[in-house]
Amino acid sequence: MKATGLIVEYNPFHNGHYFHAQSSREKTNADILIAVMSGAFLQRGEPALLPKWERAKMAILGGVDIVIELPTLFAVQSSHNFARGSVGILNALGVKSICFGSEHGEVQDFTEHIKLEKEFQHSIDCKVKDFLQEGHSFPKAYDLALESVSTENHLQMLDIRQPNNRLGLAYIEAIQKINPLIKAETIKRKHANYHDEELEHSFIASATAIRKAILNDSREWSQYVPPSSYSEITAYVENEKPLMTWESLYPIVRSKLITTPIPVLSTIYGMEEGLESRLQHAAIHAVHFPHFMELVKTKRYTWNRIQRTLVYLLLHIDKQEANHHLSKLPTYARLLAASSNGRRYIKENKESFTLPILSTFSQGKESLLQIDQRAAYAYSLGYLSTMQVAEGAREFKQIPFIQK
Amino acid sequence: MKATGLIVEYNPFHNGHYFHAQSSREKTNADILIAVMSGAFLQRGEPALLPKWERAKMAILGGVDIVIELPTLFAVQSSHNFARGSVGILNALGVKSICFGSEHGEVQDFTEHIKLEKEFQHSIDCKVKDFLQEGHSFPKAYDLALESVSTENHLQMLDIRQPNNRLGLAYIEAIQKINPLIKAETIKRKHANYHDEELEHSFIASATAIRKAILNDSREWSQYVPPSSYSEITAYVENEKPLMTWESLYPIVRSKLITTPIPVLSTIYGMEEGLESRLQHAAIHAVHFPHFMELVKTKRYTWNRIQRTLVYLLLHIDKQEANHHLSKLPTYARLLAASSNGRRYIKENKESFTLPILSTFSQGKESLLQIDQRAAYAYSLGYLSTMQVAEGAREFKQIPFIQK
């Protein structure tokens, strides 16, 4: 059976994801689609709207064959480590292709871009330094440097301000390093842009707009998700379970920020150049998340970088722990859900996988897995107090969803 | 002006405290009564029912002249360091006597007890080891050892199972070490025992019973406190401010326990012999404080020891920080409230004090003071979210209450 890898967050699984999965299967002629999915916390440093278990189930009902959790430390990362972690796992599970969505949509232009970037690396680096000194964040400085070098030299480069183009580049770089035999493919994203906040008149909308509609409890969103996602989400909400946002978890981060000494805060991964004092100061003055972010916001740090650092603090991930794990690739592949085909693929190919498949938490002894445990506990703290113990315990008790 | 020192918690200030202050003034012929009082957290490892500011004001209205905060790290301690911190501050402020309440009531028996304890130290230590091996907590093992040695040798010793006798011994030992010229006095406690939980038919009741009545919102407690305390407490409650108990702050400690890795928890002061794992395990399973304590409870650790460790975690006090400060005496005397006489005493004697008097937070640069700051912030987290910022800011903005 031929497997293709997808790198996803499914927050939640909607028609755009369904379309991408179908197209990936056709384009790469795949028997099996393996999705590596972020768990409780996402790349942008936010809690996922729904738990990983519900999201993984929706993916299987929407046509994916296997959902593997991207370990939290690799999930809550900027594109480079996010891509390394995801590609590392997909490679270990024997995928022949990885197919990502992008605004650009032509895979050869990604490889061309990477070649040009290498060629002009020195000029780019010099410009980055200049833009950093002007007080820009690193991603912004890099954008500006790239733009300036490509204009000066009349290069045909990708628009890396488009978030999925940027991620796509990171995937291809990771593939080149980890296993160049994996074939990269891309599918042009339909209609919706990642950051679009409003629902439009079609059947595809951005996850951002769909989340907003779900949170506002408007039924308008039903047309943008497969019926299986719709049932899953409404059942979840009807059980009085929370749609998780930073607003629910911020009080915990706030209490940590204001009761932890600065020298200890500065051991947390992501706390650099006095960010710990800035965060503490804002936490002292803000009891609500939007106010906090408003106080913290600065040209120097991107919104995502700040949110990710809050996740590291929430889970008490220190620099030593993070750097230790990030110097390697993920050490396990945690199964969240599978179709019957997916299950067969695992059974038949297990011996050739270069990572152990964990279908229960107790099978893993890795310290990287302890971070996922803390993530599950932290996530459970956003539930009603009567639900917290059971929700935390799901990390150990939940059996992967297997479609018959 | 002749000053006498009192060592207090005033949680809250009641008739028994009033009686003790009056008797201390008479017995030691004092012009000035200086009380060293615990702040946000108490010796037994609990949050104080009301903030230190309200409690200090009640004390002044009840006849005390000066209230100084015992720094949090010295306040949340077993008797030895609690006494060292308190006596250290009183000595620095020039008291001639220290007058404590005790169940026993005869000061010469305390000094005699200490002499005997030194004489029989070796036999006591041996017995302590035996009792520890039987799995008792250290305080319990010490009680049993002392009882056994004093029976064997027909010694007339104090009953140190009585909590105020035990504290009294610690005060006298601290006086002997810090300044033997300070005269120790004791006054026999009237009627109520510390641990009594029920109100009885008189005008004196234990603070425990009074707290219980206040928390149950029964008006029965009014006869047990001076009218000034009654007004202060009712005004506080009418402003929708919380009477603080562990139940309000436990969710924060719980979130820290379940999201902090064991190796980090084990750096916290008080975490010894695997206590960190025991606490984490209980926190995972208990969303309410009584259930948590029930799960943690063991012969090996006293209730107070466990509660104190929770305070250390809540304020992230690590072993290094604690041991650094505890190897010395307190380095400042923070003024919470004063009578006009008290104010004059400070003004006239300031030059001879061996510690700086801080009447605002900003006058202190000590790292010991940072712990008090974290204590104030942690305490503020028990308030309604709309009040938390203002309540936390009191630490910096509140001016000591001065009685005209």
Side-chain angles (χ1 to χ4, degrees):
Chain A
M1 285 194 281
K2 189 182 166 204
T4 287
L6 312 176
I7 300 170
V8 306
E9 303 217 288
Y10 294 160
N11 185 37
F13 189 89
H14 58 56
N15 289 342
H17 298 130
Y18 177 81
F19 168 80
H20 178 73
Q22 295 305 317
S23 313
S24 300
R25 195 184 283 276
E26 284 164 28
K27 186 156 198 168
T28 62
N29 202 17
D31 304 302
I32 293 291
L33 291 179
I34 305 180
V36 173
M37 186 185 83
S38 308
F41 294 92
L42 306 177
Q43 211 230 329
R44 301 182 65 208
E46 289 173 342
L49 198 65
L50 293 103
K52 57 191 179 192
W53 303 107
E54 277 75 7
R55 284 157 45 232
K57 184 178 171 191
M58 286 187 251
I60 299 300
L61 297 176
V64 173
D65 293 297
I66 296 174
V67 182
I68 300 291
E69 179 175 1
L70 180 60
T72 309
L73 180 61
F74 286 90
V76 184
Q77 286 288 341
S78 59
S79 54
H80 172 68
N81 280 317
F82 180 80
R84 282 180 62 236
S86 307
V87 172
I89 289 176
L90 291 172
N91 177 52
L93 304 189
V95 302
K96 302 291 175 244
S97 315
I98 289 177
C99 187
F100 56 91
S102 65
E103 293 82 1
H104 185 73
E106 298 291 337
V107 80
Q108 64 275 19
D109 293 340
F110 284 78
T111 36
E112 181 62 17
H113 178 106
I114 291 170
K115 234 167 63 189
L116 288 173
E117 231 180 309
K118 273 189 195 132
E119 207 178 310
F120 289 89
Q121 196 64 60
H122 182 71
S123 336
I124 297 170
D125 288 349
C126 292
K127 299 252 180 196
V128 166
K129 268 183 207 149
D130 295 345
F131 286 115
L132 281 175
Q133 271 176 356
E134 287 176 22
H136 292 288
S137 68
F138 183 82
K140 181 74 183 169
Y142 203 89
D143 282 359
L144 293 168
L146 207 64
E147 199 185 324
S148 148
V149 170
S150 85
T151 310
E152 279 172 20
N153 300 278
H154 311 287
L155 308 176
Q156 287 282 47
M157 295 183 99
L158 285 180
D159 182 0
I160 66 160
R161 289 166 308 179
Q162 302 276 14
N164 291 282
N165 287 347
R166 188 194 291 267
L167 277 171
L169 286 170
Y171 298 148
I172 292 179
E173 285 178 313
I175 290 170
Q176 289 176 351
K177 275 193 192 132
I178 292 169
N179 182 2
L181 296 177
I182 293 176
K183 191 162 189 295
E185 291 284 8
T186 187
I187 289 166
K188 195 170 162 67
R189 287 165 63 90
K190 284 222 171 177
H191 308 297
N193 284 317
Y194 183 78
H195 288 296
D196 283 351
E197 297 216 354
E198 301 307 328
L199 292 170
E200 281 162 34
H201 297 288
S202 77
F203 68 104
I204 289 192
S206 73
T208 308
I210 294 171
R211 282 196 299 277
K212 205 177 148 192
I214 298 175
L215 285 167
N216 291 338
D217 199 18
S218 83
R219 293 283 147 143
E220 281 172 47
W221 56 275
S222 59
Q223 69 188 97
Y224 299 100
V225 301
S228 49
S229 286
Y230 185 76
S231 318
E232 194 67 22
I233 296 169
T234 47
Y236 177 84
V237 172
E238 276 161 15
N239 283 325
E240 290 188 60
K241 294 188 170 183
L243 296 163
M244 199 70 73
T245 65
W246 258 125
E247 197 59 47
S248 310
L249 297 179
Y250 171 63
I252 299 158
V253 171
R254 175 170 186 257
S255 70
K256 286 194 172 189
L257 277 170
I258 70 181
T259 62
T260 307
I262 288 290
V264 177
L265 287 180
S266 73
T267 65
I268 297 294
Y269 181 59
M271 297 287 191
E272 306 286 354
E273 306 161 339
L275 182 57
E276 57 276 16
S277 303
R278 195 174 178 89
L279 296 180
Q280 185 177 72
H281 182 263
I284 286 168
H285 293 92
V287 287
H288 293 292
F289 188 66
H291 183 202
F292 171 81
M293 288 301 281
E294 195 184 301
L295 293 177
V296 169
K297 209 174 51 187
T298 153
K299 214 166 139 192
R300 191 177 201 86
Y301 308 110
T302 63
W303 183 280
N304 293 356
R305 159 95 193 269
I306 292 165
Q307 289 197 142
R308 284 195 288 262
T309 306
L310 296 180
V311 175
Y312 306 144
L313 174 62
L314 182 65
L315 312 185
H316 206 109
I317 300 174
D318 68 23
K319 288 169 180 164
Q320 203 187 349
E321 185 178 27
N323 292 329
H324 165 72
H325 292 299
L326 293 170
S327 70
K328 305 180 292 181
L329 290 175
T331 45
Y332 54 87
R334 184 143 183 225
L335 180 67
L336 296 179
S339 67
S340 50
N341 265 348
R343 194 185 198 179
R344 206 169 71 233
Y345 176 81
I346 293 173
K347 214 168 166 187
E348 288 175 5
N349 297 282
K350 222 176 200 171
E351 301 304 314
S352 66
F353 293 167
T354 54
L355 284 181
I357 299 276
L358 309 185
S359 50
T360 67
F361 186 90
S362 59
Q363 292 169 318
K365 302 277 169 255
E366 316 290 335
S367 62
L368 183 59
L369 194 62
Q370 305 303 318
I371 298 177
D372 298 341
Q373 176 188 326
R374 273 136 57 196
Y377 283 144
Y379 197 84
S380 76
L381 295 171
Y383 281 64
L384 291 176
S385 68
T386 48
M387 297 181 174
Q388 288 179 10
V389 171
E391 194 59 30
R394 278 184 95 180
E395 186 67 3
F396 306 95
K397 293 185 177 163
Q398 178 82 44
I399 293 163
F401 169 76
I402 307 289
Q403 195 181 31
K404 305 286 171 225
Chain B
M1 284 193 281
K2 191 182 165 202
T4 287
L6 311 176
I7 299 170
V8 305
E9 304 217 289
Y10 293 160
N11 184 38
F13 189 89
H14 58 55
N15 289 341
H17 297 131
Y18 177 81
F19 168 80
H20 178 73
Q22 295 305 316
S23 312
S24 299
R25 195 184 283 278
E26 283 163 27
K27 186 158 198 168
T28 61
N29 203 18
D31 303 303
I32 294 290
L33 290 179
I34 306 180
V36 173
M37 186 184 84
S38 309
F41 294 91
L42 306 177
Q43 210 230 330
R44 302 182 65 209
E46 288 173 342
L49 198 66
L50 293 103
K52 58 191 179 191
W53 304 107
E54 278 74 8
R55 283 155 49 230
K57 184 178 170 191
M58 286 188 250
I60 300 300
L61 298 176
V64 172
D65 293 298
I66 296 172
V67 182
I68 300 291
E69 180 176 1
L70 180 60
T72 309
L73 180 61
F74 286 90
V76 184
Q77 286 288 341
S78 59
S79 55
H80 172 67
N81 281 317
F82 181 79
R84 281 180 62 236
S86 306
V87 172
I89 289 177
L90 291 172
N91 177 53
L93 304 189
V95 302
K96 301 293 176 243
S97 314
I98 289 176
C99 187
F100 56 91
S102 65
E103 292 82 1
H104 184 74
E106 299 291 336
V107 81
Q108 65 277 18
D109 293 339
F110 283 78
T111 36
E112 180 61 19
H113 179 108
I114 291 171
K115 234 166 67 189
L116 288 172
E117 230 181 309
K118 272 190 193 131
E119 208 178 310
F120 289 89
Q121 195 65 60
H122 182 70
S123 332
I124 296 170
D125 288 351
C126 292
K127 299 252 181 198
V128 166
K129 267 183 209 150
D130 295 346
F131 287 116
L132 282 176
Q133 272 176 355
E134 288 177 21
H136 292 287
S137 68
F138 183 82
K140 181 73 183 170
Y142 204 89
D143 283 0
L144 293 168
L146 206 65
E147 198 184 325
S148 148
V149 170
S150 85
T151 310
E152 278 172 21
N153 300 279
H154 311 287
L155 307 176
Q156 286 283 49
M157 295 183 100
L158 285 180
D159 181 1
I160 65 161
R161 288 166 308 179
Q162 302 275 14
N164 291 282
N165 286 348
R166 187 195 292 266
L167 277 170
L169 286 170
Y171 298 148
I172 292 180
E173 285 178 313
I175 290 170
Q176 289 175 350
K177 273 194 194 132
I178 293 170
N179 181 1
L181 296 177
I182 293 176
K183 193 162 187 296
E185 292 283 8
T186 186
I187 289 166
K188 196 171 162 63
R189 286 165 64 89
K190 284 222 171 181
H191 308 295
N193 284 316
Y194 183 77
H195 288 297
D196 284 352
E197 296 216 354
E198 301 306 326
L199 292 169
E200 281 163 34
H201 297 289
S202 77
F203 68 103
I204 290 192
S206 75
T208 307
I210 294 171
R211 281 197 298 278
K212 204 177 149 191
I214 297 175
L215 285 167
N216 291 338
D217 199 19
S218 84
R219 292 284 147 142
E220 282 171 46
W221 55 276
S222 60
Q223 69 188 97
Y224 299 100
V225 301
S228 49
S229 286
Y230 185 78
S231 318
E232 194 66 22
I233 295 168
T234 48
Y236 177 84
V237 172
E238 278 161 15
N239 282 324
E240 291 187 61
K241 293 188 170 183
L243 296 163
M244 200 69 72
T245 64
W246 258 125
E247 196 60 46
S248 309
L249 297 178
Y250 171 64
I252 299 158
V253 172
R254 176 170 186 259
S255 70
K256 287 194 171 189
L257 277 170
I258 70 180
T259 62
T260 307
I262 288 289
V264 177
L265 287 180
S266 73
T267 65
I268 298 293
Y269 181 59
M271 296 288 190
E272 307 285 354
E273 306 160 340
L275 182 57
E276 57 276 16
S277 302
R278 196 175 176 88
L279 295 180
Q280 185 177 72
H281 182 263
I284 286 168
H285 293 92
V287 286
H288 293 293
F289 188 66
H291 184 202
F292 171 80
M293 288 301 280
E294 196 184 299
L295 293 178
V296 168
K297 208 173 53 186
T298 154
K299 215 166 139 192
R300 190 178 202 88
Y301 307 110
T302 64
W303 184 279
N304 293 355
R305 158 93 193 269
I306 292 165
Q307 290 197 141
R308 284 195 289 261
T309 306
L310 296 180
V311 175
Y312 306 144
L313 174 63
L314 182 65
L315 312 185
H316 206 109
I317 301 174
D318 68 23
K319 288 169 181 164
Q320 203 187 346
E321 184 178 28
N323 293 328
H324 166 72
H325 291 298
L326 293 171
S327 69
K328 304 180 292 182
L329 291 174
T331 45
Y332 54 87
R334 184 141 184 229
L335 181 67
L336 295 179
S339 68
S340 50
N341 265 349
R343 194 187 198 175
R344 205 167 74 233
Y345 176 82
I346 293 173
K347 213 169 168 184
E348 288 175 6
N349 296 280
K350 224 177 198 170
E351 301 304 314
S352 66
F353 292 167
T354 54
L355 283 182
I357 298 277
L358 309 185
S359 51
T360 66
F361 186 90
S362 59
Q363 291 168 318
K365 302 274 169 262
E366 316 289 334
S367 60
L368 184 59
L369 194 62
Q370 305 303 318
I371 298 177
D372 298 342
Q373 176 188 325
R374 272 135 60 196
Y377 283 143
Y379 197 84
S380 77
L381 296 171
Y383 281 65
L384 291 176
S385 68
T386 49
M387 296 181 174
Q388 288 180 9
V389 171
E391 195 60 30
R394 276 183 96 179
E395 186 67 3
F396 306 95
K397 293 186 178 164
Q398 178 81 44
I399 293 163
F401 170 76
I402 307 290
Q403 196 181 30
K404 305 287 172 228

